[in-house]
Structures are given as structure tokens and as C-alpha cells.
Amino acid sequence: MKKTGFHALLLSLLLVGGTSTAQGLPARGPDYFRDAADLARVLGAAHAIRVRCNGNQDQYWRDYMAGMLAYEAPEAGELRKSLVREFNDSFKRVSDDYPDCDPYAVAAEARYAEDGQEIATRLATHYFPKRDRSNGGPE
């Protein structure tokens, strides 16, 4: 499973997610909220399979979700409730879909990690847009 790129992007997202437009970053808009919810769903799904295969002591993906919440929605409110609900609903659904740890479940976790990497890339691209090189500025 390709986790390294996903982890780096998620870490980057988490490190800047709570920053404001005062620091020159884009405001959170509908695309951000959609992607954040999608990432919470993917993390819940991956966590369900990870726990199914490795037991309840494996909190690998749940720890990522906790980090996301700490930066993106540290206070009680609608965003936090929504992200937690997406994670939990996805966890339940995928737990029901994969009652056994078999090759299908392992392959599904890898697909969820790839989906998470794609979402994290979208979010990171939004928060870290490339600079215009035509004006001689750094990238």
C-alpha cells in the first residue's frame, strides 16, 4: 500500500488546516468542506478494515482522524460533528461490508489509502498553490 505520499500530504494539510486567510491562505469554501468530509469517510473506512485485520489495538487511521480533528475542528461545532459522523458512519458501513480480513479487505484498505492521497492532494493544492514562475518568483 502506498502510504508515504498520503501521509506527507495529510501531515501538510494538518499543519496548515487551521490557518486563516490573514496568513495568505484561501478561505474554506464548499470544496474544502466536501473534501474534508470525504477524507473523514476514507479514514473511517480504512480504519474499519485495519481494525478488522489487526484488532482493536491498531488505531493507525483513527489517530490520523484525531489529528485532522485537532487542527481542522478543535472546538465543538458543526464541522467537528460532521467530520466525526462521516468517519463513524463509514467505519460502520465498511465493517459490515468486510466481515473478514481477507485479500478483498486488504485490497480495499489500499484503495482507501489511494483515495485519501487523492483527496489530501486536492486539499494541499488548495492550501499550497504553486507560485507563478513567469514573474521570476520562487515556486
Side-chain angles (χ1 to χ4, degrees), residues 63-90:
D63 289 343
Y64 274 95
M65 181 64 186
M68 180 180 170
L69 289 172
Y71 288 100
E72 296 297 327
E75 306 293 326
E78 288 306 309
L79 177 58
R80 186 178 186 91
K81 281 195 272 189
S82 174
L83 294 175
V84 169
R85 182 179 54 250
E86 294 293 345
F87 180 90
N88 290 338
D89 289 351
S90 183

Side-chain angles (χ1 to χ4, degrees), residues 83-102:
L83 294 175
V84 169
R85 182 179 54 250
E86 294 293 345
F87 180 90
N88 290 338
D89 289 351
S90 183
F91 178 89
K92 169 97 173 80
R93 182 181 43 70
V94 172
S95 291
D96 292 343
D97 290 347
Y98 293 94
D100 300 309
C101 180
D102 57 23

